[in-house]
Amino acid sequence: MHIEKNILDKVNEWLTPTFDRETQEKIKDMMTSSPKELEESFYKNLEFGTGGMRGIMGIGTNRINKYTLGKNTQGLSDYLKKSFPGENLKVAIAYDCRHNSDVLGKIVADVFSANGIKVFLFSEMRPTPELSFAVKHLNCHAGIVLTASHNPPEYNGYKVYWQDGGQLVPPQDAEIIQVIENLKYSEIRFEANEDLIEYIDTDVDQAFIDSTVANAGFNTSAFAKQNLKIVYTSLHGTSIKMVPPVLAKAGYTDVNIVPEQAVPNGDFPTVVSPNPEEPEALTMALALAEKLNADIVFGTDPDSDRLGVAVRDNQDKMILLNGNQTMVIMTHYLLEQWRKAGKIKGKEFIGSTIVSTPMMLELASAYNVECKVGLTGFKWIAKFIKDYPELKFIGGGEESFGFMVGDAVRDKDAVGAILLMCEIAAQAKEKGSSVYKELQQMFVDFGFYKEHLISITKKGIEGAQQIKQMMIDLRENPVSEINGQRVIMVEDYQNSTAKNLLSGETEPLTIPKSDVLIYYLEDGSKICARPSGTEPKIKFYFSVNCTIESLSDIPEAEQQLDQKIKNIIAEMQLN
């Protein structure tokens, strides 16, 4: 097999004494036994995407290992010193249940400490939202969490947080990446200063629990809390550390944990994927819910930023809600609570993303608050909070099963979102309603919106090229009509342009550049194409809607909207 010279140059660098003997031996073995794997491991450098850096663990520049994360951390150390001259720098580090997360977390702590930076390192795995909280709580300059979120077991990752508890955003991200790229591996300082590493646990835990209950609790009666039967699964992840104590502190007593999935395990042995977006992941939780006749089911991903929710429909059958539905349910509830408390003064906002349901805009309009819409990823919602200090943030979400209640945590937070959904469900049940009925009434009040997502996986070098070509084709051969409806607007976030196809006028987009295309049809439908920033996938998002007069209109309207989505998918040849 022929291997390109630029790849061989990287391989040869990793065979120098800068790298340990074990690494060199593994590379030599790959050269003879797995040249294809060698190429995949070195053909590029791992890049920061939507949710930080994620990749397969192993040897090479395109893998998560001691050296790639060491280089990141050395570069971040240099950047922090430049950004905060003369300050006593502090960082917080957390890690999830994945294989090697604890080892990699300690390596990252070692490099920071070797650079004279004080490190607060969680003594055990903790949820990502707790790390975001800890950065602000401990007055740190930055934070790191070692996680690959919901990716398969062979993955790990590295998320960077800034002073505000939010993930890196421009311009810091590009500046830090530049510093990292300019570093040599030989410049990484691995020799720890153990005096600068402080292990943290219960004190921060208690502060996080108290903050979560204060932010996501809304005067639900003790009876309603005790009367709500909850089934919860951590899917072998970190949320087991925080969800049970938060619900206990809040007064929920009937919490039933799926025992087979309660023990953290980086192999995620009982699921195909530890992703609550996938219905299969909640199979065991749903079975337990039927056995116990539970009211609501929750499942979280390994680092506890995403949550899946299932509730009972009008026929008493458990159904899974999608991320758009849980987002509008929680946002509507928060808006109603703020309105009742007289806290809406015209200086408040909710947050969403360009690929999420347009129903968020309808909610904002109805409650006289602003809806700020950014790119995919909660770092953009966190950036809105930082950029508009004169506005109060109520809550916000994105379609990929994430939500954030208030601004104490600056990333999607399944812990706080679970408590908020419990409050909604308990109060609804107490008044003879349900979460599902509340959602149906919202469709009458604000418009019936239906969303659907298709993800197409393309792995490896060839896959990345195929995804790139699909986006090129969509741009070079623009669609003018879909399902008998004219395309009236095309937003191209890579070129920062919004083109009105009826008038021919083009306007600039103010949202940062990203490889995203959105089509708007004349009937209000919306179609978005976006390569994933964290997985080898290209995603297509569909949103359709109609107005209905009463609850009795829902079955027919739902059938029509489902058919419309099927027609669009068929016409775009995506099925």
Side-chain angles (χ1 to χ4, degrees), residues 92-109 120-128 130-131 144-148 156-157 199-200 237-239 241 302-304:
I93 301 173
Y95 54 87
D96 70 3
C97 60
R98 288 179 176 274
H99 298 305
N100 304 315
S101 280
D102 53 349
V103 174
L104 293 170
K106 180 60 168 68
I107 288 169
V108 170
F120 295 102
L121 175 63
F122 276 100
S123 58
E124 292 180 315
M125 65 185 72
R126 287 296 188 278
T128 287
E130 187 174 357
L131 183 277
I144 304 290
V145 63
L146 283 300
T147 178
N156 216 315
Y199 289 89
I200 56 174
T238 60
S239 72
K241 296 284 187 184
D303 68 326
S304 188

Side-chain angles (χ1 to χ4, degrees), residues 13 70 181 190 236 333 368 386 391 412 424 480 506 514 529 545 558:
E13 181 189 0
E181 288 297 319
F190 283 114
H236 306 289
Y333 178 83
N368 194 31
K386 186 166 64 174
L391 300 181
K412 51 182 175 278
I424 296 167
S480 59
T506 299
S514 184
N545 67 85
E558 185 156 30

Side-chain angles (χ1 to χ4, degrees), residues 282-302:
L282 296 183
T283 301
M284 296 179 86
L286 290 169
L288 182 59
E290 291 301 345
K291 180 181 174 183
L292 299 176
N293 194 30
D295 299 301
I296 194 163
V297 169
F298 297 108
T300 57
D301 65 346

Side-chain angles (χ1 to χ4, degrees), residues 364-378:
S365 175
Y367 282 88
N368 194 31
V369 301
E370 193 174 344
C371 182
K372 292 193 175 293
V373 179
L375 295 175
T376 301
F378 263 70

